[in-house]
Amino acid sequence: QLLPHAATYFPEVFASIAGARQSIEVELYRVIHPSQLASELVDVRMERADAGVSVTLVLDGVGGRGLQRAEADRWRRRGIRVCIFNPLEPHAVLRLGTRNHRKLVLVDGATAFTGGMSVDDSFAHHASAPWRETMIRVEGPVVADMRNALVTCATMCTPAGAPQPSMTHGARIGSADAQYVVSTPHDR
């Protein structure tokens, strides 16, 4: 399903997250925080975490730099697994170009949203914004490939000895074929 701008995809994303029964996994480059949209996204994830749904958030270390440690700790206390991919640290200056710009929302391992989503109030509810971010909603076996990409990233930013997320395989839904291609700076 094509979702051509924020006014169409955020209601779809929020409705899917609110209906999650098993897991919510979100991977973003950045979250503009504080903002109304970020607060709404956090609130719906916390409500599901309180209901026993497994919730994971993976943020890029540069894109997520506006996230305050206290806020991330508050989310963790509520049961949300927060992973910062390649955090900004003095010894990591040589990895500064290794960023994760993927935008991905997975719900119950069965539904995925991907595309250009940014959690930014400046265009979130306006179809006439100066730029457009398009998302797609997909179901079927390609969702397992998308989840495996997220799990790979989350595993890279999970402390040694902590529980690691597991890879999955999806069931075929519908008749369309799809492939999710993942690349890293090391693939050049």
Side-chain angles (χ1 to χ4, degrees):
Q1 176 185 7
L2 182 65
L3 304 167
H5 48 76
T8 59
Y9 65 71
F10 276 114
E12 288 280 333
V13 169
F14 285 175
S16 288
I17 289 173
R21 302 233 182 268
Q22 299 170 350
S23 64
I24 300 164
E25 296 161 308
V26 179
E27 185 175 19
L28 296 171
Y29 173 69
R30 72 178 189 168
V31 174
I32 303 300
H33 193 59
S35 71
Q36 178 184 347
L37 189 58
S39 294
E40 290 173 23
L41 186 59
V42 167
D43 290 347
V44 72
R45 284 192 323 242
M46 282 197 201
E47 187 276 326
R48 297 316 303 148
D50 289 346
V53 172
S54 170
V55 180
T56 300
L57 171 64
V58 178
L59 279 176
D60 181 78
V62 170
R65 70 187 179 279
L67 177 64
Q68 300 298 318
R69 184 177 305 269
E71 185 71 2
D73 289 344
R74 181 175 74 93
W75 297 350
R76 288 181 179 109
R77 284 191 303 273
R78 294 285 293 273
I80 295 175
R81 180 172 177 229
V82 180
C83 302
I84 306 299
F85 175 78
N86 198 12
L88 288 176
E89 297 171 344
H91 70 276
V93 70
L94 296 177
R95 294 189 329 254
L96 190 60
T98 305
R99 305 281 33 112
N100 181 352
H101 287 263
R102 190 167 34 238
K103 289 98 175 174
L104 187 56
V105 176
L106 300 161
V107 178
D108 292 337
T111 302
F113 297 87
T114 192
M117 176 179 75
S118 291
V119 181
D120 184 344
D121 282 350
S122 65
F123 70 96
H125 303 289
H126 307 287
S128 62
W131 64 88
R132 184 181 84 189
E133 303 284 1
T134 298
M135 296 287 286
I136 60 169
R137 176 188 173 137
V138 296
E139 296 177 340
V142 73
V143 173
D145 295 338
M146 298 166 123
R147 184 175 184 280
N148 290 342
L150 184 145
V151 165
T152 298
C153 186
T155 300
M156 293 170 67
C157 60
T158 300
Q164 299 291 324
S166 61
M167 298 287 193
T168 59
H169 303 283
R172 183 159 186 89
I173 297 174
S175 60
D177 291 328
Q179 183 176 12
Y180 190 70
V181 179
V182 177
S183 66
T184 71
H186 307 291
D187 294 333
R188 294 182 189 173

